[in-house]
Amino acid sequence: MITLIPMKELKKCIRSIPDFPKKGILFRDITPLLLDRKKFKKCIQRFVALSPKKIDYVISIESRGFIFGSALAYALGAGFVPIRKGGKLPYRKFQVAYDLEYGKAVVEIHADAIKKNSKVLIVDDVLATGGTVKAAVHLVEKFGAKIAGIYFLIELAGLQGRTQLKKHPVHSLITY
Ligand code: AMP
């Protein structure tokens, strides 16, 4: 049986860096957690435990989202779909512009990435203001896919990003 790791154990592996990349931002650095093979594995197992059966695609947002999303897709036997920052994808694509906690951004997805009526999960490392994931939801909805869940390693609850995602089940492994 797989035991689920408590949040406080995971939190010990998140390094908090003040004023990065801008003054006033407390950056949550996930790299110590990725170094810890047991805890990294436990995170993916937690996502697997949350996941409904028969997911067709896991969709993640560049770049740290790819670390968790691709591992989860592998664990679930699902396909993986990257959402990338503007200008990186080579083929025909859909695009959406949005505001970040620190700045502005554009994200894109290949126009043939997701089949209609497929069951998908969206995964990212951090839910901050929710602007990024809201843009991802917007892109995914264009395909007529069913979003079965939106998972984050970390949720910065004070920024209330969750309020942007009322239509879908949202789960975070760590909250601050
Ligand atoms: P947002 O669109 O505000 O929800 O921000 C989403 C993305 O920005 C996340 O996927 C993170 O990669 C990054 N991000 C925002 N705030 C932080 C933070 N305080 N620490 C680490 N990453 C952050």
Side-chain angles (χ1 to χ4, degrees):
M1 207 185 93
I2 295 163
T3 53
L4 297 182
I5 188 164
M7 174 160 86
K8 73 172 194 310
E9 284 303 308
L10 291 178
K11 261 191 175 172
K12 284 184 193 160
C13 294
I14 304 297
R15 186 162 51 192
S16 298
I17 315 271
D19 299 325
F20 182 88
K22 270 191 179 175
K23 200 160 176 51
I25 303 292
L26 182 59
F27 191 85
R28 305 295 182 174
D29 177 18
I30 61 167
T31 59
L33 187 144
L34 299 176
L35 281 175
D36 186 321
R37 63 196 169 98
K38 288 189 183 150
K39 287 191 180 138
F40 181 36
K41 188 170 182 176
K42 290 277 177 200
C43 288
I44 302 304
Q45 288 172 338
R46 281 282 292 270
F47 287 137
V48 169
L50 288 166
S51 175
K53 288 202 169 55
K54 296 197 177 140
I55 293 297
D56 297 301
Y57 307 104
V58 177
I59 300 159
S60 287
I61 306 151
E62 182 174 1
S63 57
R64 275 163 284 148
F66 292 176
I67 299 166
F68 297 94
S70 58
L72 179 60
Y74 178 82
L76 293 175
F80 177 76
V81 178
I83 289 181
R84 298 209 61 187
K85 293 180 182 144
K88 302 269 183 80
L89 288 173
Y91 185 60
R92 206 158 45 81
K93 56 213 168 189
F94 298 129
Q95 182 186 80
V96 64
Y98 67 101
D99 292 321
L100 278 177
E101 190 187 1
Y102 38 83
K104 281 198 175 292
V106 168
V107 283
E108 296 177 336
I109 191 168
H110 273 151
D112 64 349
I114 304 171
K115 290 199 177 68
K116 197 174 175 187
N117 295 324
S118 49
K119 203 166 152 190
V120 307
L121 295 173
I122 297 177
V123 180
D124 203 1
D125 64 331
V126 175
L127 173 61
T129 64
T132 308
V133 69
K134 192 177 165 200
V137 166
H138 194 70
L139 286 174
V140 172
E141 283 176 339
K142 281 184 191 285
F143 293 86
K146 182 180 176 337
I147 300 172
I150 307 180
Y151 302 162
F152 300 94
L153 178 69
I154 297 171
E155 177 174 354
L156 308 178
L159 295 172
Q160 299 185 340
R162 199 176 262 265
T163 58
Q164 311 251 32
L165 306 170
K166 284 189 183 135
K167 280 190 338 200
H168 307 289
V170 175
H171 297 283
S172 314
L173 304 191
I174 301 170
T175 48
Y176 288 99

